[in-house]
Amino acid sequence: MDNPGKFYITTPIYYVNARPHIGHTYTTMVCDAIARRQRMMGVDTWFLTGTDEHGQKIERSAAAAGCSPREFVDKIAGEFRALWDRMGITYDDFIRTTEPRHVRGAQAMFTLLQERGYIYKGSYSGQYCVFDELYVDAAGPGAPCPECGRPTETVHEENYFFKLSAMEQPLLKYYSEHPDFIRPETRRNEVIAFVRSGLRDLSVSRTSFKWGIPVPNDPKHVIYVWLDALANYMTALGFGSDAPADQQKLARYWPADVHMIGKEIVRFHCVYWPAFLLAAGLPLPKSIIAHGWLLFEESKMSKSRGNIVRSETILDTLGQDALRYFLLREIVFGQDGSFSFDALVGRFNSDLANGLGNLASRTLSMIARYFDSEVPYPSSTARTPADEAIANLAGQTIVEFHTQFEQFQFSRALETAWSLVAAVNKYIVENEPWAVAEREDHDSRARLATILYTSAEALRVVTALVHPVIPDATARIWSQLGLGEIDKFDLRSLAWGQLQLGAKLGPVQAVFPRADKSMIERMQQMEQEGPADVAAGAKETAPAATGTSAPSLATAVGEAVGAPRSSPAVGQCESTTVLDDKITIDDFLKVELRVGQIKVAEKVKGADKLLRMEVDIGTEVRQIVAGIAKAYEPEKLIGRKIVIVANLQPRKLRGLESNGMIVAASFGEDGLPVLAGFLEDVPVGAKLK
Ligand code: MSP
C-alpha cells in the first residue's frame, strides 16, 4: 500500500443466494480496517462493496424460495447492507449488479470488447457448473466441477466468446512485469502455472436463462455472470456513463489499489478480469489480494455445507469489536483459519477484557481518583528506566505496527500492539501506583504522576493504532482520555509524548466486560435457533402460509426447523408472488421425492430440536438429521414411512452429515412439523411425482 494520494479498495460482490455469514464478514471487515486506516493516514479513500445478483444460481434460489428474482435479490441485498450498516462498515458505495448504472456499464464493457475485436459468436457444447458459474472444459457429461465437486450440467448453446487464448502471452508478460499484482506469492505462482498451461476462449453469454444483463443488440443472450460481476469494480465508479461527475470519479479512483478476495475466486480476478481489461485497453488494478478461508467444523464455512456462523450472533452477545478483533488477530491473513466460539470467548477475555480493557479502566480510574480526572504532568526528576522502556517500546510499536499492517500481516500487527498492552499492564503492577498514592510526600506524588502519565500515553498510542480494527471501543477510550473524536486524529502524526497535560478526562466506563463460559452456550444456542425470522421454525419454509392461515407443505424440515443455521430459508416471499412465478414441470421433476422408512431415530446431543435418523430409501440407508425432535419421540418413529427429498446436497448439522430432507407440513402458531405419510401401503423407495 503506497501512498499515491488516493486509495480504492473493493470486496468481492457477494452472491445473494444466501444470507451473509461471518465468512463474508471477514473479507468486509478486513477491507474496512484497511480503509479506516488509510483515511486516518490522510489518504483520499474509496471503499466499495456490493452484491452480485444475476445468474442461474440466483434465479434457481429465487424459484426455490417462491419469489420472483427481483423480489428475492432485493431482500437479500437488503440484508447484506443492513448487516454492514449495523457493523459500522465504512463503505463509500454499495453496488448492486441489478442497478441501471451497472447494467449500462457492463453493457458498455461488452460493447467495447466487441468493438476491439475480442468477442465473436460461436457455439459451446460442454459442461457448466451452476454453483461456481464456471465453464468446465475438457470434462464429459455429469463430470464433477473441479472447484466444488458438484455435478456439472451439459450445455449446448450458441454463445459469444471472448478471445481469452489471445491474452495468454500479454497476461504472462504483465505478471512478470508486476510482481506485486497477485498476492500472496503462492497464489501468484498458481495463476502463472494455470495461464502457462494454456487458455481457451471463454464463453461470455448464456441463452438458457433470462436473469442477467442482455447482450447489447442481441437480447436473446445474457452476459456471462462473471463478466457482468467483475465489471462492478468500474461501473460503480461510473464506467459507461457520460455524466461529468461519473467520469471524474472514474478518473480519480481507477485503477483500484486493492481487490480483496477469497482464494476460491482467484482465477476470475487474476486471469479473466485482467484479460478483459487488457483487451479493452483499460488500466489494470494494482493488486489482487487473496485471503484464506474461515473454517468451521473443519471445512470452509458456507451455506451449502451447512456450517455457517452468523455475524449477528456475535454482535448480539460480544459486540462488533470482539468479532473484528478475533478475525484479524486469530487468522493469519492469507491462510485458512478456524472459527470456534470457545476461541472467540478466550481471545475476548484474554486480550480485550483483561488486556486493553483492563489497561484502560485501571489507568483512567486512577487518574480520576488521584488527579481529579486531569492528565498528570510527568516529572523529569521522578523518572526511572522503566518509564523510558515503555516510551521506547511505544515508539517501536508504532513503526512495527504500520509496517506489518501495510504488509497485510494483521495478526502480527495486533500481536505487536498487544505486546505494548502487556508491557504497560506489567509496568503498572510492578510500579504499584496504588501503593505510591498512599505516600503523601512530594516525590511520591511526582512518581505517581509519572507512572499514570506513562500508562495513559501508552494507552493513547495503542488506541490510535488499533482504532481501524476495533473502532467502537477505541472511540470510547479516546473520548475517555479527553481527546474528542478519534476519527479526526491524523495517524501519521502519532508519536510518544503528545498526550495533552492537564486535559480533562471524560467519564470513565469499562469498555469490555468479561464474558463468562455461559456465553459460549448462549451463542451456540442462538446459532441453532437461527435468525429471528426463521427461528419460528417451519413457518418460514412455508411460503404459502405466510400471511395466511392455510397449512402448507414444508419440504425443508432438516434445514429450517431443526437447524436453521444450516440453511436459513433465505428470502421467502409472500404467496402472491408464488402465483406470479410458476415453475415448470421440469423444475418440479428436478426434485427427487421418495418413500423412505425410518430404521433408527435418536436425539442429537446438545441440540434439542434435532433427531438423527437412518432411513431406508430402497436402494440404500441414508443418515438424515431433521428438526422434528419437538414434535416426535424418536422411538415412535421407528418403522414409519415418510417422504424424503432424495437428491439434495449432503450437509452437516452439528457435525453430522444429513443426506436428504424429510417432507412435513407446518401450520398454526407453534409451527411444529407434521410428517407427510400415506393412507395406503407404499413400497419403500417408490418415487413421488
Ligand atoms: N459473487 C462472487 C464474487 C464476484 S466478485 C466480482 C462470489 N460471491 S460469494 O458470495 O460466494 O462470496 C465469495 C467471497 O466471500 C469470498 O471470496 C470471500 O471473500 C468471502 N467468503 C465467503 N465464505 C468465506 C469463508 N468461509 N471464509 C473466508 N471468506 C469467505 O464469489
Side-chain angles (χ1 to χ4, degrees), residues 19-40:
R19 290 198 162 104
H21 57 70
I22 66 168
H24 306 114
T25 298
Y26 177 58
T27 317
T28 312
M29 273 182 169
V30 167
C31 290
D32 187 57
I34 297 172
R36 283 175 179 268
R37 182 175 168 283
Q38 288 290 334
R39 294 190 197 102
M40 283 182 89

Side-chain angles (χ1 to χ4, degrees), residues 63-242:
C67 304
S68 68
R70 161 65 60 188
E71 226 172 349
F72 184 77
V73 299
D74 283 351
K75 184 166 163 43
I76 309 293
E79 292 191 22
F80 271 94
R81 200 170 178 144
L83 178 63
W84 303 152
D85 288 341
R86 184 171 173 207
M87 292 191 58
I89 299 297
T90 58
Y91 59 86
D92 294 289
D93 196 359
F94 188 103
I95 180 95
R96 297 182 54 188
T97 54
T98 49
E99 284 177 72
R101 62 174 172 155
H102 174 77
V103 171
R104 180 185 58 207
Q107 287 179 328
M109 182 83 72
F110 194 96
T111 304
L112 180 60
L113 290 170
Q114 237 171 353
E115 284 168 0
R116 291 175 63 95
Y118 283 94
I119 285 183
Y120 64 93
K121 227 172 188 178
S123 63
Y124 180 82
S125 232
Q127 299 307 114
Y128 189 77
C129 172
V130 175
F131 183 81
D132 286 316
E133 302 282 10
L134 178 72
Y135 292 92
V136 180
D137 295 327
C145 166
E147 298 291 322
C148 67
R150 290 173 177 79
T152 51
E153 295 182 14
T154 307
V155 289
H156 303 284
E157 281 179 281
E158 188 199 47
N159 285 158
Y160 285 94
F161 281 81
F162 171 71
K163 290 186 184 165
L164 186 61
S165 56
M167 304 319 291
E168 207 173 294
Q169 289 314 314
L171 281 171
L172 290 171
K173 183 165 176 281
Y174 193 87
Y175 302 144
S176 104
E177 286 169 1
H178 299 83
D180 281 342
F181 179 55
I182 302 166
R183 278 182 277 173
E185 189 71 18
T186 44
R187 303 288 162 229
R188 177 171 190 269
N189 295 339
E190 282 166 18
V191 169
I192 293 176
F194 176 78
V195 175
R196 277 209 188 115
S197 73
L199 296 176
R200 294 174 32 163
D201 288 353
L202 178 70
S203 170
V204 285
S205 76
R206 304 285 316 268
T207 51
S208 56
F209 66 96
K210 287 262 158 286
W211 185 242
I213 298 179
V215 164
N217 305 317
D218 198 352
K220 199 161 69 102
H221 296 253
V222 293
I223 298 177
Y224 173 44
V225 68
W226 272 100
L227 173 53
D228 161 351
L230 289 160
N232 93 87
Y233 300 129
M234 292 189 76
T235 63
L237 295 178
F239 179 83
S241 160
D242 296 333

Side-chain angles (χ1 to χ4, degrees), residues 12-15 21 23-24 26-27 52 226 229-230 232-233 261-262 264-265 269 291-294 300-301:
I13 47 170
Y14 302 109
Y15 284 131
H21 57 70
H24 306 114
Y26 177 58
T27 317
D52 188 353
W226 272 100
L230 289 160
N232 93 87
Y233 300 129
I261 59 169
E264 78 289 356
I265 52 176
H269 283 79
H291 63 68
W293 285 337
L294 208 54
K300 180 185 178 228
M301 195 177 287

